Every structure is written in structure tokens, then in C-alpha cells.
Amino acid sequence: MRIPPIVRKILVSLAGGGIAYLLTNATEQPQSITLILSSFVGGTLLMVQFLVDFERRLLSVEGALVSGLAGVSEASRQMRQLRSSRLDAATVTRLLNRTAEVGHDGPTVMYAFLEQEIRRLTELVRDLSGGETAYDGEDRDWLLSLTAVAVGSIDATSAAADSEFWDSELGLRYLALQGEAVSRGVTVRRVFILDSEDPAALREVEHVCRQQAAAGIVVRVMRSSGLAASSRVDPMFDFILFDQTLSYEVSSARALDQGGRLAIANTRLVVRPERVERRIRRFEELWSAAGPPAP
């Protein structure tokens, strides 16, 4: 059985006082002196124990205070960095507040999902701050979000006029967002690069071009055979320039399980100035070589 601290202190004090009483009594001191000395020793021992305990607690509080101040200092440093960033501090603060408000009674899978999404967002911020980030497979969130926030221009190239994509839910949402961008003053241009003379493929191109034009997008069409030899060295045909500062790039591969159709292998966001500048030159070269679609 564990003895409570206060009882232990009293027992130690009584033991010390008792020993002092026995020693003074053995030297045949007057009874009054014996009682005074034993009481003094016992009281002193009790006081010393309380002082030691007080100092221990004081050190513990001091350590906690230092740790707390260090945490406050770190939080203050991060807030200063956030305020100096071009990101909206209020938006980041709302994310932190909502994260802190997540309760403890939800399903485990919900917390795992939220942690995964926060990790993914953290990696996106880290990688894009470094100049480039990639996503395996087809993306939709980046494409739609970038279209929604563009303020100056959207310059896009496409190696195919795929009506199946443009008639899909994603394609229609993307087209609608481009129309909204045009309405707020954003210039949207698109070059379709064709490698087929098949009449059905040409009709598909005409259908897609009419969709694009109706949304206010300036469209041009060219055949890959019209590319200069130097232009064919660069295999990148599917990319979108947002405000001429960020390049959204798509790499395709043949999907054998889908009848050999092209499938998106990965999607990249690039903000490295030299890479974006190459894409700008590439787009202007293609735009100059292309012409208006057939009426």
C-alpha cells in the first residue's frame, strides 16, 4: 500500500523528533530542553520536506512554462511567416481551426481520410513551392480549380478533339468554367492538333470547335503533318498555360485494356520559369501554325 506524501512527511518528522528526544534525554538534559529540541528537529524536518517538494514543483512548473513559451514562440514565428506569405492567412487559419474542431466520436475511417488529405495537401504545397508536382493518372481537381482562379489567360493545346471527353461531366464542367473565365475577362485560346484525315474524326473536331466557340474560346486547328521538323522534337502536345506562369501538363500512354486508346499516365503542375517559358514559346509556335476551324 502506497503511503500518501503528507503522511510520509509527518512520519519522517516524528521519527526525526523522536530520535532527537532520545539523544537529548540520554544526555540527561532537562525535560523542557529535550522537548524543545525534539520539536525543533521534527518541525525543521517537516519544513525542509515541504521546501524540497515546493522546489521540485517549481522546477516542474518552470519547465512547463518554458516549453509552453517555446510553443507560443514557434506558433508566433509560423504566423509571422504566414502573414508574409502570398497565401490568404484567413483561409489557412480556417483550415487549422476546422482541424482543431474535429471531434473524437467519428468513425476511424473519417480521421484516416482527413489525415491522408492533409498529407496530400502538404505535399502539394511543398512540391509546388519547389517548382513542380505530379499526380499519377488523370486529374480533375487541379484542372477545374486552376480554370476557376485564372485572371489573365488560359492557353491550351490538345493532341485530339475528343468529343467523348467534352461531352462528359468533367468536360462540360471544364467548358462551363472556361466560359465563366471568358466572362470575367480571361482570354482563352485552344489549339487542336490533328493526325487523322478520317471524315468522322473531322466531324468530331467541328462539333467540339462549335462547343468551344459558343463558350467564347478562340479555337484554332492544325494537322500534325504541318509541324516543322524542329517542333516534332518536343513530344509535349497536351498542356495548358494558366496566366502564362503555371503549366498544366498531361502525359499519355496507350491503354491496352481499353482497345489501345490513349489514357492519361500522369499530370504535372510546373511553375519553374524556364520550363514555363518553353511552353509559352511552344504554344505561340503552334498557334501561329494553326488556323481557324472549318465553318
Side-chain angles (χ1 to χ4, degrees):
M1 179 179 177
R2 185 177 179 182
I3 301 175
I6 185 64
V7 175
R8 186 168 58 249
K9 289 181 177 65
I10 293 173
L11 291 176
V12 170
S13 301
L14 290 174
I19 293 172
Y21 178 82
L22 293 175
L23 290 175
T24 54
N25 195 47
T27 58
E28 298 181 352
Q29 297 293 330
Q31 191 66 24
S32 59
I33 298 298
T34 300
L35 291 174
I36 291 173
L37 286 175
S38 60
S39 298
F40 175 76
V41 171
T44 301
L45 285 173
L46 184 62
M47 182 62 69
V48 168
Q49 290 178 87
F50 275 112
L51 288 174
V52 170
D53 189 48
F54 176 76
E55 183 180 14
R56 187 183 301 114
R57 294 190 180 188
L58 186 62
L59 290 174
S60 176
V61 170
E62 183 180 359
L65 184 60
V66 170
S67 177
L69 289 175
V72 171
S73 177
E74 176 65 15
S76 299
R77 183 187 65 81
Q78 292 176 348
M79 286 303 297
R80 285 195 301 271
Q81 287 182 324
L82 180 58
R83 291 192 185 98
S84 64
S85 169
R86 292 182 62 182
L87 292 175
D88 181 25
T91 300
V92 179
T93 301
R94 279 197 299 273
L95 172 62
L96 294 175
N97 290 337
R98 293 294 179 268
T99 303
E101 292 170 1
V102 174
H104 299 281
D105 54 353
T108 302
V109 67
M110 181 187 77
Y111 300 114
F113 171 71
L114 290 174
E115 289 175 2
Q116 174 65 21
E117 288 300 297
I118 291 172
R119 279 195 297 270
R120 193 161 65 91
L121 177 60
T122 302
E123 291 171 0
L124 172 63
V125 173
R126 179 199 64 197
D127 294 346
L128 202 53
S129 297
E132 182 175 340
T133 189
Y135 181 89
D136 290 334
E138 183 178 8
D139 156 78
R140 59 180 291 142
D141 294 333
W142 292 351
L143 178 64
L144 298 178
S145 295
L146 285 167
T147 305
V149 300
V151 295
S153 64
I154 300 175
D155 295 327
T157 68
S158 179
D162 188 352
S163 62
E164 184 176 338
F165 167 76
W166 290 107
D167 290 335
S168 69
E169 183 268 340
L170 173 59
L172 291 173
R173 288 187 63 190
Y174 178 37
L175 188 62
L177 285 172
Q178 290 175 96
E180 292 175 9
V182 171
S183 66
R184 64 175 183 267
V186 177
T187 301
V188 183
R189 299 184 294 174
R190 175 165 285 105
V191 178
F192 287 111
I193 304 168
L194 311 178
D195 59 1
S196 173
E197 298 291 340
D198 180 66
L202 295 178
R203 285 194 297 272
E204 186 175 28
V205 171
E206 293 171 1
H207 167 69
V208 172
C209 288
R210 284 194 295 271
Q211 278 184 317
Q212 306 275 313
I217 301 169
V218 184
V219 182
R220 288 189 180 182
V221 178
M222 70 174 300
R223 288 172 173 76
S224 57
S225 58
L227 286 171
S230 58
S231 298
R232 297 176 188 175
V233 175
D234 188 346
M236 177 56 66
F237 289 107
D238 285 317
F239 64 89
I240 308 170
L241 290 165
F242 290 94
D243 294 337
Q244 295 199 329
T245 55
L246 184 148
S247 179
Y248 175 100
E249 303 177 358
V250 172
S251 297
S252 301
R254 291 288 176 184
L256 298 179
D257 59 342
Q258 297 180 10
R261 294 188 61 187
L262 283 175
I264 295 176
N266 64 70
T267 308
R268 310 185 80 83
L269 297 182
V270 181
V271 293
R272 299 182 192 278
E274 66 281 2
R275 178 92 157 264
V276 173
E277 185 60 34
R278 285 204 303 271
R279 294 288 173 254
I280 293 173
R281 291 196 300 269
R282 174 72 162 167
F283 179 83
E284 295 300 337
E285 178 184 356
L286 296 173
W287 184 258
S288 298

